[in-house]
Amino acid sequence: MKIVIVYYSMYGHTLQMAKAVAEGASSIPQAEVMLRRVQEFPEVDKIIDQNEFASQVREQQKDIPVCTVDDLREADAVILGSPTRYGNMCAQMKQLIDSTAQLWLKGEMEGKPAAVFTSTASTHGGQETTLLTMMVPLLHLGMLIVGIPYSVPGMIHTQARGGTPYGATTIAGGQGELQPTSEDLEICKALGRRVAEVAAKVRS
């Protein structure tokens, strides 16, 4: 049972989350977890070249394969992670989704569990809108959206951190100075575990 986790990360926040999601999914014995990144734009690569920290984060990801349409086709479940861009997913992630026309035409993603996670600069910087809008193309593909119930520890809180029923989240800060909290990462693990459990039930 293949669980594909696809993410985009320039400053490392969604990368940390993706690894936690992968850890959670891997806790289900029959899960084969595949971590994939989305292709960077050449013009953004040039900007990253001029940013020491972003360059270091890019270097950390060099051995993680770029996601292909075949990766999605072969997956039994897909979990997408993207930082917010004006309340929506980043263009790099959208490019991958826009390349799935053949999967849509053939119904190859129908009935597969899917989930989403995001990182935003501020508490109200698009956490919920990004997750909800990421779900829309997944519904067009016929996928089964998996969220996070409030029975998961850490979901009910009034602190300035992440955690929504629509997917896992974290707050990165205006300059990317914050890191995912331990509670945020535990919710990421719960999301990965939940998707793997649902995928196992769908396959049975």
Side-chain angles (χ1 to χ4, degrees), residues 15-33:
L15 171 60
Q16 290 185 58
M17 297 175 76
K19 289 180 176 179
V21 171
E23 183 179 343
S26 297
S27 69
I28 303 305
Q30 59 267 51
E32 176 188 348
V33 178

Side-chain angles (χ1 to χ4, degrees), residues 111-134:
K112 296 181 180 182
V116 291
F117 60 95
T118 192
S119 168
T120 64
S122 62
T123 308
H124 301 291
Q127 294 218 341
E128 295 180 347
T129 59
T130 300
L131 297 176
L132 290 169
T133 50
M134 285 177 74

Side-chain angles (χ1 to χ4, degrees), residues 68-177:
T68 67
V69 171
D70 283 337
D71 287 331
L72 301 178
R73 177 181 288 113
E74 295 167 7
D76 294 294
V78 177
I79 307 174
L80 303 179
S82 169
T84 188
R85 295 292 185 268
Y86 300 116
N88 207 322
M89 75 184 82
C90 65
Q92 292 88 339
M93 182 65 72
K94 186 64 162 54
Q95 177 178 252
L96 173 64
I97 291 175
D98 286 346
S99 72
T100 61
Q102 289 301 313
L103 301 181
W104 173 70
L105 286 169
K106 297 178 181 179
E108 292 181 281
M109 303 304 289
E110 292 180 9
K112 296 181 180 182
V116 291
F117 60 95
T118 192
S119 168
T120 64
S122 62
T123 308
H124 301 291
Q127 294 218 341
E128 295 180 347
T129 59
T130 300
L131 297 176
L132 290 169
T133 50
M134 285 177 74
M135 292 177 187
V136 173
L138 303 180
L139 289 166
H140 276 260
L141 288 165
M143 304 190 78
L144 308 176
I145 304 299
V146 179
I148 305 173
Y150 278 102
S151 58
V152 170
M155 280 291 291
I156 298 179
H157 66 85
T158 57
Q159 302 166 329
R161 61 174 179 79
T164 81
Y166 314 109
T169 60
T170 198
I171 300 169
Q175 303 300 316
E177 71 276 13

Side-chain angles (χ1 to χ4, degrees), residues 19-52:
K19 289 180 176 179
V21 171
E23 183 179 343
S26 297
S27 69
I28 303 305
Q30 59 267 51
E32 176 188 348
V33 178
M34 300 165 57
L35 188 61
R36 297 288 185 268
R37 58 187 171 92
V38 295
Q39 184 68 57
E40 184 58 275
F41 296 142
E43 56 269 30
V44 177
D45 257 330
K46 292 178 182 178
I47 296 172
I48 293 174
D49 288 340
Q50 307 304 315
N51 185 304
E52 182 179 356

